[in-house]
């Protein structure tokens, strides 16, 4: 996973669409131990398929057949299954802490009480729209446009840092990664991406109509007459469309220079006349801030234009909608169910809501993640597992150092700087060295919506408090139970939470071949992000700086274009092709990562020749390496969700994250004795790293 800027652990209510109320499934029970799934599962294969024709079907065909998308999911994958296993285990921990009244530590009390309040559906239903009222009254109380800065700051702090007109938070200065400054960014949209507002195909128009109808439905729940609710929805749609048209596309956002616009308060104020930034900053608890990165100046000019062209009533309508959208998942079924019906059923094809326990576990992880992480790590991540993971990471890094030196297209000067960057990458494995302090986060055992609001406020204030302070390079941007990993180009670190270092993704019981294909490839993937089309623009200190010679930069772009051209041919769903300029970084990292995983595995094999043994399950060690790699990507997806992913996800579909990689590796062709010209034995191969 690639993250140019921070990942917000304090989940906004608006992003909690999957956590809406529903009845728990009676047959489900909390887990007290992890279920075991092997790192290479022969039953997940389809050995009737020819690996040289369609390797993904060969490696994952059995899994695809036996794992349809569950009714409460938009997609289902090996990652999803492990994430659910982790959730069920966490459910057992939280259920026990919620019921326990004596002997809990302060952090155990917080996560237990939070979970208990989230699970109390009767209390949530009884409060109906009560949690909405203070926010709607606050908006209604605005007498003039001069009141907007204070109200907007309050809404952003408590409900969402980016869903009310614009985003405001803290991040490392692109030009000096040791400094944390204020970031003002584009935001304020209800649909998943700006393209939903501007595309003119029939499907996009239909979705916009349904979105506007949904907004009207939600306003109707506040008591507006049908005609009034329709006018309110049209007002929201008009404002959001204008903001969307002024926003960068996701491909444009991939170039960090497009997001780097330093200015002082005077310059920002001049860009947005009519909006009092001093009043806003004071209300946000950041008076005196004078350095900003305004990521999209064009957007902020449009924001100011919208304030001039809309009367106060229209602005209030827009804000009311975003309060409704943000808070609906924490309210009674009256609000929660239509919210789910549009954002999950209509947009992503999900048939029914997830059971309550899943959403409550996710919310605890989102808002009290390191408190929950302590409980997870103490039970599920041993020192031996951490050391084994670190050993593999070091081997992959050694492989990359050798790989850089072997590149014929890169000059000695650029190689030296690449090695400097590689040598300064920090490995974060399992969990942070010190745990976050949640003392300022008040959790009440009988106030679910209030807990979520206080959790969002806690996280947003924690982020804003970083402005002007020394950078904490030890901070993690994911929680320990998370089934994922990431590279941060400004921190220049790779991060592997304990949650992703579990079977079947990392299986200590399995031979090394599938482990190096799977976890070794993933480590290599994150490492390669330091040198993909975006990561390569940051130097060893994490600063946005061109450290390439002009000739080497051009050579990189030529090799990257080969990947762009290859993936642009693949179909996501219907007639929608992969936006290979959006997925370029992940596609480069997939290929580079597996090459590095292979190199590290060969080093490991040289030190343990006894593993070069006859077939296991009918597969040679080399074949087990590639099948182990492929099986992490087994997935089924709903067509509706694929359409959303095609527009918003920088990752290619699983099938192409496997087939698109192995066709570029002669080692695969040799392992499976593929003949030149077969689909998995490309005549023209791409390789960047």
């Amino acid at each position: 996973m690639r993250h140019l800027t921070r990942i917000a652990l304090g989940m906004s209510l608006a992003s909690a669409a999957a956590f809406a109320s529903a009845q728990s499934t009676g047959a489900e029970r909390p887990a007290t131990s992890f279920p075991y799934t092997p790192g290479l599962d022969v039953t997940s294969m389809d050995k009737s398929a020819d690996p040289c024709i369609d390797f993904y079907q060969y490696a994952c065909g059995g899994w695809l057949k036996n794992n349809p998308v569950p009714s409460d999911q938009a997609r289902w994958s090996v990652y999803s299954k492990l994430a659910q296993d982790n959730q069920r285990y966490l459910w057992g921990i939280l259920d026990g802490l919620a019921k326990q009244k004596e002997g809990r530590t302060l952090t155990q009390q917080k996560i237990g009480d939070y979970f208990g309040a989230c699970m109390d559906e009767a209390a949530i239903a009884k409060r109906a729209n009560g949690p909405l009222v203070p926010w709607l009254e606050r908006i209604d109380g605005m007498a003039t446009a001069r009141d907007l800065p204070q109200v907007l700051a309050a809404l952003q702090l408590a409900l969402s840092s980016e869903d009310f007109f614009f985003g405001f938070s803290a991040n490392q200065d692109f030009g000096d990664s040791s400094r944390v400054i204020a970031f003002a960014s584009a935001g304020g949209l209800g649909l998943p991406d700006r393209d939903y507002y501007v595309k003119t195909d029939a499907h996009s128009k239909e979705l916009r109509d349904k979105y506007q109808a949904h907004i009207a439905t939600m306003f109707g729940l506040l008591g507006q007459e049908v005609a009034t609710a329709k006018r309110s929805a049209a007002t929201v749609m008009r404002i959001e469309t204008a903001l969307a048209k002024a926003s960068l596309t996701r491909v444009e956002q991939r170039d960090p220079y497009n997001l780097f616009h330093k200015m002082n308060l005077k310059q920002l104020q001049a860009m947005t006349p009519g909006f009092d930034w001093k009043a806003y900053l004071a209300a946000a608890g950041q008076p005196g801030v004078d350095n900003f990165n305004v990521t999209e100046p064009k957007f902020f000019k449009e924001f100011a234009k919208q304030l001039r062209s809309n009367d106060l009533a229209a602005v209030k309508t827009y804000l009311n909608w975003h309060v409704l959208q943000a808070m609906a998942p924490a309210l009674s079924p009256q609000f929660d169910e239509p919210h789910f019906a549009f954002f999950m059923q209509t947009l992503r094809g999900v048939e029914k809501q997830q059971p309550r326990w899943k959403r409550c576990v996710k919310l605890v992880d989102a808002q009290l993640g390191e408190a929950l992480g302590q409980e997870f790590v103490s039970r599920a991540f041993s020192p031996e597992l951490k050391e084994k993971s670190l050993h593999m990471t070091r081997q992959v890094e050694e492989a990359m150092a050798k790989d850089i030196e072997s590149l014929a297209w890169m000059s000695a000067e650029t190689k030296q700087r690449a090695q400097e960057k590689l040598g300064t990458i920090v490995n974060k494995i399992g969990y942070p060295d010190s745990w976050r302090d949640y003392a300022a986060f008040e959790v009440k055992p009988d106030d679910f919506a209030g807990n979520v609001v206080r959790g969002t406020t806690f996280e947003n204030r924690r982020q804003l408090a970083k402005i002007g302070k020394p950078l904490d390079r030890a901070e993690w941007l994911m929680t320990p139970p998370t089934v994922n990993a990431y590279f941060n180009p400004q921190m220049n670190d790779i991060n592997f939470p304990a949650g992703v270092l579990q079977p079947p993704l990392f299986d200590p019981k399995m031979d090394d071949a599938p482990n190096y294909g799977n976890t070794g490839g993933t480590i290599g993937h994150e490492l390669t992000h330091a040198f993909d089309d975006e990561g390569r623009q940051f130097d060893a200190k994490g600063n946005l700086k061109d450290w390439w010679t002009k000739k080497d930069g051009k050579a990189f772009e030529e090799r990257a274009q080969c990947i762009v051209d290859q993936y642009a041919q693949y179909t996501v769903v219907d007639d929608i092709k992969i936006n290979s300029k959006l997925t370029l970084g992940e596609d480069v990292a997939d290929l580079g990562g597996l090459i590095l995983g292979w190199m590290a595995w060969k080093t490991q094999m040289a030190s343990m020749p006894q593993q070069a043994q006859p077939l296991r399950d009918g597969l040679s060690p080399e074949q087990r390496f590639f099948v182990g790699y492929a099986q992490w990507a087994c997935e089924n997806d709903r067509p509706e969700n694929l359409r959303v992913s095609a527009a918003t996800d920088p990752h290619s579909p699983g099938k192409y994250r496997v087939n698109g990689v192995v066709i570029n590796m002669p080692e695969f062709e040799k392992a499976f004795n593929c003949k030149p010209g077969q689909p998995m034995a490309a005549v023209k191969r791409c390789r960047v790293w």
Side-chain angles (χ1 to χ4, degrees):
M1 175 180 283
R2 173 189 53 82
H3 287 282
L4 179 60
T5 56
R6 68 174 178 85
I7 303 167
L9 291 176
M11 174 171 291
S12 73
L13 288 171
S15 67
F19 310 134
S21 299
Q23 294 297 320
S24 298
T25 303
E28 294 182 307
R29 295 287 183 271
T32 56
S33 61
F34 267 104
Y36 173 70
T37 304
L40 191 157
D41 188 355
V42 178
T43 65
S44 292
M45 299 175 65
D46 175 8
K47 289 195 173 183
S48 69
D50 187 338
C52 299
I53 302 296
D54 184 349
F55 182 58
Y56 185 71
Q57 177 63 30
Y58 174 80
C60 290
W63 193 96
L64 299 175
K65 179 181 178 181
N66 296 321
N67 288 273
V69 181
S71 59
D72 66 345
Q73 302 284 338
R75 64 188 292 270
W76 192 241
S77 66
V78 170
Y79 264 60
S80 303
K81 171 65 165 55
L82 177 55
Q84 181 169 277
D85 289 344
N86 283 5
Q87 289 166 8
R88 193 179 298 278
Y89 188 65
L90 293 170
W91 180 18
I93 295 171
L94 289 167
D95 186 58
L97 290 174
K99 294 173 180 175
Q100 182 182 341
K101 300 305 178 186
E102 302 293 335
R104 297 183 297 180
T105 66
L106 182 59
T107 55
Q108 288 174 334
Q109 179 182 334
K110 286 182 184 292
I111 61 178
D113 287 352
Y114 189 113
F115 183 76
C118 181
M119 292 293 290
D120 192 348
E121 296 176 284
I124 293 167
K126 186 176 180 180
R127 292 196 68 188
N129 70 338
L132 277 176
V133 174
W135 302 106
L136 299 179
E137 289 179 345
R138 180 79 182 266
I139 293 168
D140 186 57
M142 288 194 298
T144 71
R146 288 191 296 273
D147 297 327
L148 177 62
Q150 294 90 341
V151 172
L152 193 57
L155 294 171
Q156 290 177 343
L157 279 172
L159 303 183
S160 169
S161 63
E162 60 185 23
D163 291 329
F164 293 88
F165 278 121
F166 60 84
F168 187 75
S169 191
N171 199 7
Q172 291 166 261
D173 185 343
F174 283 7
D176 180 359
S177 66
S178 67
R179 300 177 65 231
V180 179
I181 63 172
F183 268 54
S185 56
L189 307 182
L191 288 169
D193 184 68
R194 53 90 62 194
D195 284 1
Y196 280 79
Y197 296 87
V198 300
K199 293 178 70 173
T200 58
D201 60 281
H203 182 69
S204 296
K205 291 179 179 178
E206 180 184 3
L207 276 180
R208 285 196 291 271
D209 290 342
K210 290 181 177 179
Y211 176 55
Q212 191 163 327
H214 168 64
I215 298 172
T217 296
M218 297 296 279
F219 275 118
L221 295 176
L222 294 181
Q224 291 189 4
E225 298 292 336
V226 173
T228 304
K230 287 183 177 179
R231 287 194 296 272
S232 295
T235 296
V236 171
M237 199 67 187
R238 185 184 72 249
I239 294 174
E240 288 188 1
T241 300
L243 296 176
K245 288 180 177 179
S247 303
L248 295 177
T249 67
R250 295 203 177 223
V251 171
E252 290 169 334
Q253 292 175 40
R254 285 195 56 76
D255 184 347
Y257 286 97
N258 287 339
L259 301 173
F260 187 30
H261 307 282
K262 291 278 292 291
M263 58 184 69
N264 58 32
L265 179 59
K266 184 178 180 179
Q267 292 170 312
L268 177 57
Q269 186 62 69
M271 181 183 292
T272 52
F275 185 77
D276 187 344
W277 280 95
K278 283 188 177 180
Y280 171 84
L281 291 169
Q286 295 299 312
V289 171
D290 192 45
N291 289 298
F292 304 84
N293 182 21
V294 180
T295 61
E296 300 185 36
K298 180 182 176 183
F299 173 90
F300 279 90
K301 292 176 182 177
E302 182 60 40
F303 163 62
K305 180 180 177 182
Q306 288 301 305
L307 296 186
R308 293 193 303 270
S309 60
N310 285 284
D311 60 19
L312 184 60
V315 172
K316 287 181 177 181
T317 296
Y318 168 86
L319 294 177
N320 282 333
W321 158 241
H322 280 275
V323 168
L324 271 169
Q325 183 187 15
M327 295 199 71
L331 300 177
S332 67
Q334 179 187 13
F335 292 89
D336 164 46
E337 289 173 359
H339 181 91
F340 171 84
F342 177 76
F343 286 101
M344 299 306 290
Q345 286 184 324
T346 299
L347 273 184
R348 297 184 179 273
V350 179
E351 296 172 9
K352 70 175 185 180
Q353 298 193 44
Q354 292 186 348
R356 187 76 190 173
W357 70 265
K358 285 186 182 179
R359 295 186 304 282
C360 292
V361 168
K362 288 180 181 179
L363 272 174
V364 176
D365 185 44
Q367 296 203 313
L368 289 153
E370 291 196 13
L372 181 60
Q374 292 180 61
E375 303 296 322
F376 180 82
V377 167
S378 67
R379 296 164 171 82
F381 195 69
S382 67
E384 293 78 16
L385 184 55
K386 181 169 184 173
E387 182 52 42
K388 192 174 180 68
S389 304
L390 275 169
H391 173 70
M392 184 182 288
T393 302
R394 295 186 190 106
Q395 286 181 318
V396 173
E397 288 171 336
E398 289 169 3
M400 183 153 220
K402 294 176 182 177
D403 185 53
I404 289 171
E405 288 305 314
S406 72
L407 297 175
W409 57 270
M410 182 178 283
S411 68
E413 179 183 352
T414 305
K415 284 181 180 180
Q416 180 181 347
R417 292 182 178 175
Q419 295 285 16
E420 289 173 1
K421 181 171 184 177
L422 176 63
T424 59
I425 290 177
V426 175
N427 301 323
K428 296 180 178 177
I429 305 295
Y431 51 90
D433 293 330
S434 60
W435 297 104
R436 186 163 301 156
D437 181 4
Y438 293 97
F441 179 1
E442 182 185 13
V443 175
K444 297 182 180 181
D446 57 354
D447 184 14
F448 168 56
N451 288 338
V452 180
V453 169
R454 286 186 291 273
T456 303
T457 304
F458 169 82
E459 176 60 19
N460 286 333
R461 288 197 183 281
R462 190 184 73 84
Q463 293 292 340
L464 292 176
K466 298 176 182 179
I467 296 173
K469 303 292 194 307
L471 175 68
D472 178 9
R473 289 195 175 273
E475 184 177 9
W476 281 60
L477 306 184
M478 279 182 179
T479 66
T482 302
V483 183
N484 218 322
Y486 69 95
F487 168 75
N488 186 319
Q490 289 187 276
M491 287 283 204
N492 201 30
D493 59 15
I494 53 175
N495 302 255
F496 292 87
V500 80
L501 297 170
Q502 306 288 336
L505 301 182
F506 187 63
D507 184 359
K509 298 180 181 179
M510 187 65 55
D511 56 299
D512 283 328
N515 273 330
Y516 276 80
N518 191 325
T519 298
T522 302
I523 294 169
H525 172 103
E526 301 305 338
L527 200 60
T528 303
H529 273 317
F531 304 94
D532 68 12
D533 63 306
E534 189 172 35
R536 79 179 189 89
Q537 299 189 67
F538 292 84
D539 66 13
K541 295 181 179 179
N543 297 322
L544 186 58
K545 183 179 180 181
D546 188 0
W547 48 272
W548 295 64
T549 67
K550 187 174 181 180
K551 181 180 179 181
D552 291 340
K554 183 178 179 181
F556 174 92
E557 290 170 359
E558 289 173 351
R559 282 155 178 77
Q561 188 61 44
C562 181
I563 300 287
V564 171
D565 295 341
Q566 175 191 336
Y567 281 79
Q569 302 174 42
Y570 299 144
T571 300
V572 178
V573 63
D574 302 330
D575 60 347
I576 301 174
K577 301 289 187 181
I578 290 177
N579 182 351
S580 57
K581 292 182 179 179
L582 174 62
T583 64
L584 175 59
E586 299 297 337
D587 299 334
V588 167
D590 282 340
L591 176 56
L594 192 58
I595 290 171
L596 294 177
W598 175 273
M599 294 172 66
W601 175 60
K602 285 298 184 181
T603 298
Q604 179 73 359
M605 288 279 285
S607 68
M608 302 178 69
Q610 67 272 22
Q611 288 208 13
Q613 53 187 282
L615 304 182
R616 293 189 188 187
D617 303 316
L619 300 170
S620 69
E622 289 74 16
Q623 290 172 336
R624 290 176 67 79
F625 173 90
F626 285 108
V627 173
Y629 167 74
Q631 286 194 338
W632 76 260
C634 301
E635 65 181 28
N636 282 311
D637 218 322
R638 297 184 187 278
E640 298 90 343
N641 193 58
L642 283 170
R643 294 186 187 98
V644 176
S645 298
T648 64
D649 194 345
H651 302 83
S652 295
K655 177 178 181 179
Y656 304 117
R657 298 189 72 178
V658 173
N659 286 354
V661 168
V662 299
I663 66 171
N664 290 312
M665 292 188 64
E667 297 88 349
F668 172 83
E669 183 178 328
K670 181 179 179 181
F672 287 93
N673 297 311
C674 298
K675 304 295 187 294
Q678 287 187 291
M680 296 293 99
V683 175
K684 177 186 177 183
R685 291 193 176 99
C686 299
R687 180 174 176 183
V688 182
W689 296 101

